[in-house]
Amino acid sequence: MINLAILISGRGSNMEAILKSVKKNKIPIKPAVVISNKSDAKGINIAQKLGVRTEVIESHGIMGANWDYDKKIVTILEKYDVTPKNGLVCLAGFMRILSPEFIRHFKGRIMNIHPAILPSFPGLHSQRQAIEYGVKYSGCTVHFVDEGVDTGPVILQAAVKVNASDTEESLSARILGQEHKIYPKAVKLFAQGRIKISGRRTVIS
Ligand code: GRF
């Protein structure tokens, strides 16, 4: 059985979608812990209501990738038996860049959700970038995390039409609806051992 950790910074709606789907669809993965880098993250209460243990590792004032900070995450993950052998770490709106050391430690076991069809519009404010660029379709991507920003092997993507009347808010809401579908799906595929990484690609069996 895989032990799952979810890292959040705020609202936690993707975390909620994953945790509910794990329960409902009997995904063979154990939600071990939700970790937030902010003590006021809304997602903390949601996780607790769903019966998942939570931890806060405050990162106030610690800017950029920082292995000393990330070592604290590793310590908490070990406490809940989330290891490079049996763990999956899902970033769900976690607003910190992880250090290369952390990423190497959990190589091939860290996933992220990004609100655009990568490699388009990486980084912040992807939905605004999509509207400003004038694309007709955007969407979301679940990918493994490597040492770049939003550059790791793609696992699943979903496309969303961009309407002429869309605002950043309306497009974000429609993309979020798709995020809540594909992130739990990717977690399920991982739990079932169906995702292999082959260079830049993932092969799903
Ligand atoms: C989502 O749009 C996700 O794609 C991005 O951050 C947002 C997190 O939202 N990485 P939530 O905290 O899961 O509600």
Side-chain angles (χ1 to χ4, degrees):
M1 185 85 115
I2 304 277
N3 284 339
L4 171 68
I6 306 180
L7 272 53
I8 64 168
S9 298
R11 185 174 56 180
S13 72
N14 277 288
M15 171 210 75
E16 183 176 7
I18 293 168
L19 292 176
K20 285 187 169 163
S21 160
V22 165
K23 235 186 214 171
K24 184 167 163 234
N25 301 313
K26 302 196 172 70
I27 298 177
I29 194 163
K30 183 182 165 230
V33 63
V34 167
I35 300 174
S36 173
N37 67 319
K38 292 193 170 159
S39 55
D40 60 353
K42 290 216 172 72
I44 296 172
N45 277 335
I46 301 172
Q48 288 171 350
K49 279 192 187 134
L50 291 169
V52 179
R53 303 286 300 273
T54 60
E55 298 270 358
V56 174
I57 313 172
E58 195 55 67
S59 69
H60 193 72
I62 307 170
M63 310 304 280
N66 184 310
W67 176 222
D68 282 336
Y69 175 83
D70 291 353
K71 272 191 235 169
K72 295 183 191 169
I73 305 181
V74 173
T75 303
I76 296 289
L77 293 175
E78 280 168 1
K79 174 175 159 194
Y80 290 90
D81 195 27
V82 178
T83 72
K85 282 217 168 105
N86 68 357
L88 173 64
V89 178
C90 285
L91 310 183
F94 185 63
M95 299 303 287
R96 286 192 56 81
I97 305 280
L98 290 166
S99 59
E101 291 90 343
F102 183 93
I103 291 163
R104 284 198 289 268
H105 188 66
F106 280 100
K107 194 171 174 359
R109 292 183 168 271
I110 311 170
M111 283 184 190
N112 183 41
I113 179 100
H114 182 76
I117 299 279
L118 290 171
S120 291
F121 314 128
L124 295 175
H125 307 300
S126 311
Q127 302 94 332
R128 191 192 308 164
Q129 291 185 56
I131 288 177
E132 282 172 0
Y133 193 92
V135 291
K136 303 296 184 193
Y137 284 88
S138 190
C140 48
T141 303
V142 182
H143 63 94
F144 283 114
V145 173
D146 67 7
E147 291 177 33
V149 175
D150 302 324
T151 52
V154 170
I155 303 166
L156 294 174
Q157 295 185 303
V160 167
K161 197 168 183 327
V162 182
N163 301 323
S165 59
D166 263 326
T167 60
E168 186 179 355
E169 288 69 33
S170 65
L171 179 61
S172 299
R174 234 167 31 259
I175 291 176
L176 193 65
Q178 292 302 312
E179 294 182 33
H180 295 166
K181 289 186 180 156
I182 65 169
Y183 212 173
K185 246 187 219 169
V187 169
K188 183 176 182 184
L189 289 169
F190 187 92
Q192 293 173 329
R194 291 168 60 194
I195 312 176
K196 297 271 166 299
I197 301 177
S198 166
R200 269 220 53 81
R201 298 185 185 189
T202 62
V203 180
I204 296 171
S205 56

CSV table of all heavy atoms in Angstrom, one decimal, residues 14 17 33 59 67 76 87-88 90 93 96 115 118 129 132 137 160 163 188-190 199 201:
chain,number,residue,atom,x,y,z
A,14,ASN,N,-8.3,20.8,-4.4
A,14,ASN,CA,-7.7,19.6,-5.0
A,14,ASN,C,-7.5,18.5,-4.0
A,14,ASN,O,-7.7,17.3,-4.2
A,14,ASN,CB,-6.5,19.9,-5.8
A,14,ASN,CG,-6.8,20.5,-7.2
A,14,ASN,OD1,-7.2,19.8,-8.0
A,14,ASN,ND2,-6.6,21.8,-7.3
A,17,ALA,N,-10.7,16.9,-3.2
A,17,ALA,CA,-11.1,16.0,-4.3
A,17,ALA,C,-10.4,14.7,-4.2
A,17,ALA,O,-11.0,13.6,-4.4
A,17,ALA,CB,-10.9,16.7,-5.7
A,33,VAL,N,-1.0,12.0,5.7
A,33,VAL,CA,-0.9,13.3,6.3
A,33,VAL,C,-1.1,14.4,5.3
A,33,VAL,O,-0.8,14.2,4.1
A,33,VAL,CB,0.5,13.4,7.1
A,33,VAL,CG1,1.6,13.4,6.1
A,33,VAL,CG2,0.6,14.7,7.9
A,59,SER,N,6.3,28.6,7.0
A,59,SER,CA,7.5,28.9,6.2
A,59,SER,C,7.6,30.5,6.1
A,59,SER,O,8.3,30.9,5.2
A,59,SER,CB,7.3,28.3,4.8
A,59,SER,OG,6.3,29.0,4.1
A,67,TRP,N,16.6,23.8,1.4
A,67,TRP,CA,16.7,22.4,1.8
A,67,TRP,C,16.5,22.3,3.3
A,67,TRP,O,16.0,21.3,3.8
A,67,TRP,CB,18.0,21.8,1.3
A,67,TRP,CG,18.4,20.4,1.8
A,67,TRP,CD1,19.6,20.0,2.2
A,67,TRP,CD2,17.5,19.2,1.8
A,67,TRP,NE1,19.6,18.6,2.5
A,67,TRP,CE2,18.3,18.2,2.2
A,67,TRP,CE3,16.2,19.0,1.5
A,67,TRP,CZ2,17.8,16.9,2.4
A,67,TRP,CZ3,15.7,17.7,1.6
A,67,TRP,CH2,16.5,16.7,2.1
A,76,ILE,N,8.7,15.1,9.0
A,76,ILE,CA,7.2,14.9,9.2
A,76,ILE,C,6.8,13.7,8.3
A,76,ILE,O,6.0,12.8,8.8
A,76,ILE,CB,6.4,16.1,8.9
A,76,ILE,CG1,6.8,17.3,9.8
A,76,ILE,CG2,4.9,15.8,8.9
A,76,ILE,CD1,6.3,17.1,11.3
A,87,GLY,N,6.0,5.9,-0.6
A,87,GLY,CA,5.2,7.2,-0.5
A,87,GLY,C,4.8,7.8,-1.9
A,87,GLY,O,5.4,7.5,-2.9
A,88,LEU,N,3.8,8.7,-1.8
A,88,LEU,CA,3.4,9.6,-2.9
A,88,LEU,C,3.2,10.9,-2.2
A,88,LEU,O,2.5,11.0,-1.3
A,88,LEU,CB,2.2,9.1,-3.6
A,88,LEU,CG,1.7,10.1,-4.7
A,88,LEU,CD1,2.7,10.3,-5.8
A,88,LEU,CD2,0.3,9.6,-5.3
A,90,CYS,N,1.8,14.6,-3.0
A,90,CYS,CA,1.0,15.4,-4.0
A,90,CYS,C,1.0,16.8,-3.6
A,90,CYS,O,0.6,17.2,-2.5
A,90,CYS,CB,-0.5,14.9,-4.0
A,90,CYS,SG,-0.7,13.4,-4.9
A,93,GLY,N,-1.7,23.1,-4.7
A,93,GLY,CA,-1.7,24.5,-4.4
A,93,GLY,C,-0.6,24.8,-3.3
A,93,GLY,O,-0.8,25.7,-2.5
A,96,ARG,N,5.3,26.8,-2.6
A,96,ARG,CA,6.8,26.9,-2.4
A,96,ARG,C,7.5,26.1,-3.5
A,96,ARG,O,6.9,25.1,-4.0
A,96,ARG,CB,7.2,26.3,-1.0
A,96,ARG,CG,6.8,27.2,0.2
A,96,ARG,CD,7.5,26.7,1.4
A,96,ARG,NE,8.9,26.6,1.3
A,96,ARG,CZ,9.8,27.6,1.4
A,96,ARG,NH1,9.3,28.8,1.7
A,96,ARG,NH2,11.1,27.5,1.2
A,115,PRO,N,-2.7,24.7,-13.5
A,115,PRO,CA,-3.9,25.1,-14.2
A,115,PRO,C,-3.6,25.6,-15.7
A,115,PRO,O,-4.1,26.7,-16.0
A,115,PRO,CB,-4.4,26.2,-13.3
A,115,PRO,CG,-3.2,26.8,-12.7
A,115,PRO,CD,-2.2,25.7,-12.5
A,118,LEU,N,0.5,22.3,-20.0
A,118,LEU,CA,1.9,22.5,-20.0
A,118,LEU,C,2.4,21.9,-21.4
A,118,LEU,O,1.9,20.9,-21.8
A,118,LEU,CB,2.6,21.8,-18.8
A,118,LEU,CG,2.4,22.5,-17.5
A,118,LEU,CD1,2.9,21.7,-16.4
A,118,LEU,CD2,3.0,23.9,-17.5
A,129,GLN,N,-2.6,34.4,-17.9
A,129,GLN,CA,-1.7,34.3,-19.1
A,129,GLN,C,-2.4,33.8,-20.3
A,129,GLN,O,-2.3,34.3,-21.4
A,129,GLN,CB,-0.5,33.4,-18.8
A,129,GLN,CG,0.5,33.8,-17.8
A,129,GLN,CD,1.6,32.8,-17.7
A,129,GLN,OE1,2.3,32.5,-18.7
A,129,GLN,NE2,1.9,32.3,-16.5
A,132,GLU,N,-4.8,36.5,-21.7
A,132,GLU,CA,-4.0,37.6,-22.3
A,132,GLU,C,-3.4,37.1,-23.6
A,132,GLU,O,-3.3,37.9,-24.6
A,132,GLU,CB,-3.0,38.1,-21.3
A,132,GLU,CG,-3.6,39.0,-20.3
A,132,GLU,CD,-2.7,39.4,-19.2
A,132,GLU,OE1,-1.5,39.0,-19.2
A,132,GLU,OE2,-3.1,40.2,-18.3
A,137,TYR,N,-8.2,27.4,-26.3
A,137,TYR,CA,-8.3,26.3,-25.3
A,137,TYR,C,-7.2,26.4,-24.3
A,137,TYR,O,-6.0,26.8,-24.6
A,137,TYR,CB,-8.1,24.9,-26.0
A,137,TYR,CG,-9.4,24.5,-26.7
A,137,TYR,CD1,-9.5,24.8,-28.0
A,137,TYR,CD2,-10.4,23.8,-26.1
A,137,TYR,CE1,-10.7,24.5,-28.7
A,137,TYR,CE2,-11.5,23.4,-26.7
A,137,TYR,CZ,-11.7,23.8,-28.1
A,137,TYR,OH,-12.8,23.4,-28.7
A,160,VAL,N,-9.9,22.7,-21.7
A,160,VAL,CA,-11.1,23.5,-21.4
A,160,VAL,C,-11.2,24.7,-22.4
A,160,VAL,O,-10.1,25.3,-22.7
A,160,VAL,CB,-10.9,24.2,-20.0
A,160,VAL,CG1,-11.9,25.2,-19.7
A,160,VAL,CG2,-11.0,23.1,-18.9
A,163,ASN,N,-13.8,31.0,-23.5
A,163,ASN,CA,-14.8,31.8,-24.2
A,163,ASN,C,-14.4,33.2,-24.3
A,163,ASN,O,-13.6,33.7,-23.4
A,163,ASN,CB,-16.1,31.6,-23.4
A,163,ASN,CG,-16.6,30.2,-23.3
A,163,ASN,OD1,-16.4,29.4,-24.3
A,163,ASN,ND2,-17.1,29.8,-22.2
A,188,LYS,N,-4.9,7.6,-8.5
A,188,LYS,CA,-5.4,6.2,-8.6
A,188,LYS,C,-4.4,5.4,-9.5
A,188,LYS,O,-4.1,4.3,-9.2
A,188,LYS,CB,-6.8,6.2,-9.2
A,188,LYS,CG,-7.4,4.8,-9.3
A,188,LYS,CD,-8.8,4.9,-9.8
A,188,LYS,CE,-9.4,3.5,-9.8
A,188,LYS,NZ,-10.8,3.5,-10.4
A,189,LEU,N,-4.1,6.0,-10.7
A,189,LEU,CA,-3.1,5.3,-11.6
A,189,LEU,C,-1.8,5.0,-10.9
A,189,LEU,O,-1.3,3.9,-11.0
A,189,LEU,CB,-2.9,6.1,-12.8
A,189,LEU,CG,-4.1,6.3,-13.8
A,189,LEU,CD1,-3.8,7.3,-14.8
A,189,LEU,CD2,-4.3,4.9,-14.5
A,190,PHE,N,-1.3,5.9,-10.1
A,190,PHE,CA,-0.1,5.7,-9.4
A,190,PHE,C,-0.2,4.6,-8.3
A,190,PHE,O,0.6,3.7,-8.2
A,190,PHE,CB,0.4,7.0,-8.7
A,190,PHE,CG,1.7,6.9,-8.1
A,190,PHE,CD1,2.9,7.3,-8.8
A,190,PHE,CD2,1.9,6.5,-6.8
A,190,PHE,CE1,4.1,7.2,-8.2
A,190,PHE,CE2,3.2,6.4,-6.2
A,190,PHE,CZ,4.3,6.8,-6.9
A,199,GLY,N,12.0,8.6,-19.6
A,199,GLY,CA,12.6,9.8,-20.1
A,199,GLY,C,11.6,11.0,-19.7
A,199,GLY,O,11.2,11.1,-18.6
A,201,ARG,N,8.7,11.1,-20.9
A,201,ARG,CA,7.3,10.7,-21.0
A,201,ARG,C,6.8,9.8,-19.9
A,201,ARG,O,7.7,9.2,-19.2
A,201,ARG,CB,7.1,9.8,-22.3
A,201,ARG,CG,7.5,10.6,-23.5
A,201,ARG,CD,7.2,9.8,-24.7
A,201,ARG,NE,7.6,10.6,-25.9
A,201,ARG,CZ,7.4,10.2,-27.1
A,201,ARG,NH1,6.8,9.1,-27.4
A,201,ARG,NH2,7.8,10.9,-28.1
